[in-house]
Amino acid sequence: MPDYDHPASDDLTLLGVLRGLADPIRLEIVQHLGKVPEASCAALLGDRPRSSMSHHFQVLRDSGLLHTRIQGVQHFNSLRKEDLDRRFPGLMDAVLAE
Amino acid sequence: MPDYDHPASDDLTLLGVLRGLADPIRLEIVQHLGKVPEASCAALLGDRPRSSMSHHFQVLRDSGLLHTRIQGVQHFNSLRKEDLDRRFPGLMDAVLAE
DNA sequence: GGTTTAATTCGATTTTGATCGAACAATATC
DNA sequence: GATATTGTTCGATCAAAATCGAATTAAACC
């Protein structure tokens, strides 16, 4: 299981980020990650199938919304808040205010 | 051609607004409307088919992003900036900053 | 009334994205 | 090495959304 290559913050696009957020499950994940420093996939799973969630994590990674750190068998996800704030100031604060 | 019923600002949802923004054409429309008080559909048309654009205008109306005022045969669209700012402070400023 | 203009609605097609079971990979533990 | 745990990948299916031509509505104008 290789490390993921996350997009550079300069490569993030507003459209890409908005697309990443435009799904109820992903928005929920992002808003949860706004409240904690990081969370494993299992902690965010709920009662959904793992393969579905894995898809959403990938979309969130690809759009630059989250970073996944692999430690042993667990994957810890965190919001790329600083990168997002730098590229799109105020956006995530508005999204996380809900 | 009846007047449209726009959703009340209290009925707007963050997910709905994000969905409305998560399309390249619609994002372009919204960003354009951020720079002018209002614009007719024709003014925003570009070289796209009218029926496609009409679809996007409807999505934008339904998500609460824009208001359409009918005057004669023309439809003037404006961003619902005040309503959006009240419900989701900072969101549109971030989107329009691009 | 006939014509032009602006935009929508209808309906069919295509494309995109979500869902999820089953198989797989990688680590940890015994 | 065997087993359990965590999460991904594959592949198929299903649902949602975009696209756009053709017909339609409505107002404006001659």
Side-chain angles (χ1 to χ4, degrees), chain B residues 12-84:
Chain B
L12 305 189
T13 66
L14 179 59
L15 182 60
V17 169
L18 292 170
R19 271 190 202 282
L21 294 168
D23 175 275
I25 296 180
R26 290 197 296 266
L27 183 58
E28 189 186 316
I29 293 173
V30 165
Q31 288 176 333
H32 182 103
L33 288 178
K35 299 180 200 143
V36 298
E38 60 180 5
S40 70
C41 295
L44 297 162
L45 192 57
D47 58 348
R48 315 233 171 220
R50 285 167 183 276
S51 53
S52 299
M53 292 305 273
S54 197
H55 162 70
H56 288 301
F57 286 124
Q58 185 173 339
V59 173
L60 288 170
R61 270 192 302 269
D62 290 348
S63 60
L65 277 159
L66 63 77
H67 179 271
T68 305
R69 172 176 73 86
I70 302 182
Q71 187 181 43
V73 80
Q74 293 192 82
H75 293 199
F76 290 101
N77 304 287
S78 57
L79 201 61
R80 292 181 61 180
K81 184 78 164 48
E82 292 77 16
D83 288 337
L84 292 160

Side-chain angles (χ1 to χ4, degrees), chain A residues 2-14:
Chain A
D3 273 9
Y4 300 106
D5 52 338
H6 301 82
S9 69
D10 283 340
D11 292 339
L12 305 190
T13 66
L14 180 59

Side-chain angles (χ1 to χ4, degrees), chain A:
Chain A
M1 203 144 300
D3 273 9
Y4 300 106
D5 52 338
H6 301 82
S9 69
D10 283 340
D11 292 339
L12 305 190
T13 66
L14 180 59
L15 183 60
V17 169
L18 291 171
R19 271 191 202 282
L21 293 169
D23 175 275
I25 295 180
R26 290 197 296 268
L27 183 58
E28 189 186 316
I29 292 173
V30 166
Q31 289 177 332
H32 182 102
L33 287 177
K35 298 180 202 146
V36 297
E38 61 180 4
S40 70
C41 295
L44 297 161
L45 192 58
D47 57 349
R48 316 232 170 223
R50 284 165 184 276
S51 53
S52 299
M53 293 305 274
S54 195
H55 162 69
H56 288 302
F57 286 123
Q58 185 173 343
V59 173
L60 288 169
R61 269 192 303 267
D62 291 347
S63 60
L65 277 159
L66 62 78
H67 180 270
T68 305
R69 173 177 73 86
I70 302 182
Q71 187 181 40
V73 79
Q74 294 192 82
H75 294 199
F76 289 101
N77 304 287
S78 57
L79 201 61
R80 292 182 62 180
K81 184 75 165 49
E82 292 76 15
D83 289 336
L84 292 160
D85 284 349
R86 188 174 73 73
R87 294 283 281 111
F88 315 110
L91 181 65
M92 295 313 295
D93 286 332
V95 169
L96 298 176
E98 285 274 290

